[in-house]
């Protein structure tokens, strides 16, 4: 389980309305479903953001907050009009609080098939070390 001092979700809502955000778009703003994995050296955030690509996603770090934002373009088939819809188009936004144990200068991100992967390397002080015990 991830150490709460390393990363903490900043949002609890499933869906936020546009008036709750700082963005000026009139679409809905969704909180992406996210899984967080941890090893001795890194924490990986995997966020499901269908419809995004590397040109429509933004990852920012400010102080101890990492934020992800994905902008989804509405796509309509050429020459057709929508008469019924169950799929809601919206952008994605989520923020996490990260502790001092994260090496903020070496955070990286990639996107593939609508999944955003953010790699948070742990600083040397936060990594698990095995201490060799000598005979006294």
């Amino acid at each position: 389980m991830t150490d709460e001092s390393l990363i903490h979700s900043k949002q609890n809502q499933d869906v936020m309305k546009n008036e709750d955000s700082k963005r000026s778009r009139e679409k809905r703003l969704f909180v992406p479903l996210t899984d967080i994995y941890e090893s001795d050296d890194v924490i990986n955030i995997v966020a499901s953001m269908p419809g995004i690509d590397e040109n429509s996603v933004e990852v920012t770090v400010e102080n101890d907050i990492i934020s992800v934002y994905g902008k989804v373009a509405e796509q309509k088939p050429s020459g057709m009009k929508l008469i019924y819809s169950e799929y809601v188009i919206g952008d994605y936004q989520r923020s996490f609080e990260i502790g001092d144990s994260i090496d903020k200068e070496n955070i990286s991100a990639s996107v593939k098939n609508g999944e955003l992967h953010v790699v948070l390397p742990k600083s040397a002080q936060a990594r698990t070390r095995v201490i060799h015990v000598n005979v006294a």
Side-chain angles (χ1 to χ4, degrees), residues 45-91:
I45 299 173
V46 180
S48 179
M49 302 168 82
I52 64 154
D53 61 26
E54 69 278 3
N55 298 315
S56 63
V57 67
E58 176 181 291
V59 179
T60 59
V61 178
E62 185 175 348
N63 298 321
D64 287 340
I65 305 294
I66 185 166
S67 299
V68 297
Y69 177 75
K71 183 177 177 181
V72 178
E74 189 171 349
Q75 298 176 3
K76 294 181 184 176
S78 177
M80 302 192 125
K81 68 178 183 177
L82 182 66
I83 59 170
Y84 178 76
S85 175
E86 291 182 348
Y87 183 75
V88 178
I89 297 291
D91 296 338

Side-chain angles (χ1 to χ4, degrees), residues 5 14 26 32 34 38 62 82 94 105 107 114:
S5 65
D14 290 331
E26 294 186 18
T34 303
E38 181 178 21
E62 185 175 348
L82 182 66
R94 188 147 186 191
E105 297 300 318
I107 294 173

Side-chain angles (χ1 to χ4, degrees), residues 117-134:
H117 295 258
V118 182
V119 178
L120 307 168
K122 295 180 183 178
S123 63
Q125 304 92 307
R127 293 183 184 163
T128 302
R129 295 178 291 152
V130 176
I131 309 299
H132 180 73
V133 178
N134 294 313

